[in-house]
Amino acid sequence: MEFKISSKAKSLTVVLMLLGVIGLCLGIWVEFSCHGGEHFKTRFLGNLLVDSFFFFAIGLGALYFLALQYATETGWYASVKRIIEGVAGYLPYGIGLMLITLLTLSLMKGGGIYMWMDSEHVQHDPILVKKSAYLNQVFFWIRTLAYMGVYFIFWRGFKMRSLEEDRVGGSAIHFTNYKKGALFLVFFAVFSSTSAWDWIMSIDAHWFSTLFGWYVFAGMWCSTMVVLVTLTLYLKKQGYLSKVNENHIHDLGKWTFATSFLWSYLWFSQFMLIWYANIPEEVTYHLTRIEDFKLLYFGMFFINFAFPMLLLMSRDAKRHAGVLTAVGVIIFAGHWVDAYLMVMGGSMGKHAYIGAMEIGMALLFLGFFIRVILTNLTKAPLMPVNHPFLDESIHHEI
């Protein structure tokens, strides 16, 4: 069945983006009228980086999840394959917005966010001088373009082969995807960590953590699963995906549950090891966020850990649309706060707070994100036609 965007869905995306623009304008007015615009540049660019990265990461997470299914030759996912591809289809837009954001910061010598981009600042900072062989703009852009180029090439390849498979059938395309999926995971194993170091960890340029890349990856994966399960439930409610049953929903719920625990485990591991060692150059990251954002920092951890644990533990909960949707919205907001603290905690510290500008920027990106995904879903049948595991997926039971 072909998917068509309902008028309500179109209206929702327009309203979200309109509210986002209003919130941004209000936030800018408050920033200049009440605070004199002292921190406007860093605050605005910081919020742009938060939302560009957060939604880009969800698109990338969907591409990773798709490649994982190909590489493991999973059968159950075939019925929801187009949902995964629809979310992954945000990736080229996410790449464009990330590149615009990073280029703007680069031209503005870091914009108060990447201090290592300011050569004058680096000259008076011995630690950044020692790190300059890695943290310099030329090498940064070589790495960034490599990440984006690889992600785009794999996304485009998976998309074109998926559509071709609908036309020609057979198993040749499936085995090509199997090989390409495994190859993508090799690149992703490296790039997911190094890009997190480059784009996020380098904001706190004096600090480092060997777990940070995995931590960011876990948050990205969990946010992606929330979007996938919520979108699947929405389409089912609209009368689509008749072949998707409660067993598919259960599997998506299990992935949401599992990735929430993975993220929680990595959060605690990073926090506990650094706090226990009490090495000044390591513990400063947590000190800054505890001193300036104690409620948000620990509240975010509690939300992203406790809610999935308490509400998604049972089998029935993973099959209940209302429970999955409610928990998904909470987790989604919790991981946005996580991204906010990673960026703004290091760039603005005690001067950062969530106000109209932050909410407005997030709503603007969210409306655009939803519209892109829904539009992607209209470009191909929601159910793949000739996938070799489609019959297995349709009769999937657990």
Side-chain angles (χ1 to χ4, degrees), residues 209-286:
S209 167
T210 54
L211 279 176
F212 190 79
W214 289 101
Y215 171 76
V216 173
F217 157 71
M220 170 186 73
W221 193 1
C222 185
S223 301
T224 299
M225 295 315 304
V226 165
V227 171
L228 291 177
V229 71
T230 306
L231 182 58
T232 302
L233 290 170
Y234 166 76
L235 291 171
K236 286 284 289 180
K237 187 176 180 180
Q238 297 299 309
Y240 299 98
L241 302 179
S242 59
K243 302 296 184 181
V244 173
N245 57 46
E246 60 181 6
N247 299 292
H248 300 102
I249 303 299
H250 188 185
D251 276 333
L252 291 171
K254 285 193 297 185
W255 275 110
T256 303
F257 181 77
T259 53
S260 294
F261 268 73
L262 173 64
W263 177 88
S264 301
Y265 168 75
L266 290 169
W267 186 96
F268 179 76
S269 297
Q270 183 172 257
F271 177 84
M272 182 271 294
L273 291 172
I274 290 175
W275 198 260
Y276 184 76
N278 201 27
I279 301 173
E281 61 266 29
E282 292 183 358
V283 80
T284 180
Y285 179 89
H286 296 291

Side-chain angles (χ1 to χ4, degrees), residues 21 113 178 273-274 322:
V21 172
I113 296 173
Y178 164 73
L273 291 172
I274 290 175

Side-chain angles (χ1 to χ4, degrees), residues 138-355:
V138 174
F139 195 22
F140 171 84
W141 276 105
I142 290 174
R143 296 192 302 271
T144 294
L145 292 176
Y147 306 148
M148 299 308 194
V150 167
Y151 293 153
F152 182 82
I153 289 170
F154 274 98
W155 165 78
R156 182 171 175 79
F158 286 139
K159 175 186 175 183
M160 300 308 293
R161 284 190 296 274
S162 179
L163 297 175
E164 182 68 13
E165 188 175 55
D166 276 2
R167 291 192 294 268
V168 302
S171 60
I173 293 176
H174 166 74
F175 286 114
T176 299
N177 283 331
Y178 164 73
K179 296 174 185 177
K180 297 293 185 180
L183 182 60
F184 175 81
L185 295 182
V186 173
F187 281 102
F188 188 79
V190 178
F191 287 177
S192 61
S193 283
T194 55
S195 61
W197 301 344
D198 294 342
W199 300 334
I200 306 297
M201 192 168 74
S202 71
I203 295 171
D204 296 87
H206 287 186
W207 177 76
F208 64 91
S209 167
T210 54
L211 279 176
F212 190 79
W214 289 101
Y215 171 76
V216 173
F217 157 71
M220 170 186 73
W221 193 1
C222 185
S223 301
T224 299
M225 295 315 304
V226 165
V227 171
L228 291 177
V229 71
T230 306
L231 182 58
T232 302
L233 290 170
Y234 166 76
L235 291 171
K236 286 284 289 180
K237 187 176 180 180
Q238 297 299 309
Y240 299 98
L241 302 179
S242 59
K243 302 296 184 181
V244 173
N245 57 46
E246 60 181 6
N247 299 292
H248 300 102
I249 303 299
H250 188 185
D251 276 333
L252 291 171
K254 285 193 297 185
W255 275 110
T256 303
F257 181 77
T259 53
S260 294
F261 268 73
L262 173 64
W263 177 88
S264 301
Y265 168 75
L266 290 169
W267 186 96
F268 179 76
S269 297
Q270 183 172 257
F271 177 84
M272 182 271 294
L273 291 172
I274 290 175
W275 198 260
Y276 184 76
N278 201 27
I279 301 173
E281 61 266 29
E282 292 183 358
V283 80
T284 180
Y285 179 89
H286 296 291
L287 278 176
T288 299
R289 284 150 181 84
I290 291 172
E291 290 175 355
D292 299 329
F293 310 98
K294 181 177 290 185
L295 181 61
L296 274 180
Y297 191 55
F298 289 112
M300 171 268 299
F301 172 72
F302 176 79
I303 287 172
N304 291 331
F305 169 64
F307 274 86
M309 182 185 70
L310 295 175
L311 299 179
L312 290 184
M313 182 72 77
S314 71
R315 173 185 173 90
D316 289 341
K318 298 183 187 73
R319 293 166 175 254
H320 193 284
V323 173
L324 284 170
T325 302
V327 174
V329 170
I330 292 170
I331 295 174
F332 188 85
H335 280 289
W336 180 88
V337 172
D338 183 30
Y340 175 82
L341 290 175
M342 285 192 289
V343 173
M344 303 303 281
S347 58
M348 289 190 66
K350 63 182 181 181
H351 300 293
Y353 65 94
I354 296 179

Side-chain angles (χ1 to χ4, degrees), residues 60-75:
L60 178 58
L63 179 63
Y64 160 75
F65 192 62
L66 180 65
L68 183 65
Q69 307 313 304
Y70 281 136
T72 55
E73 293 195 284
T74 304

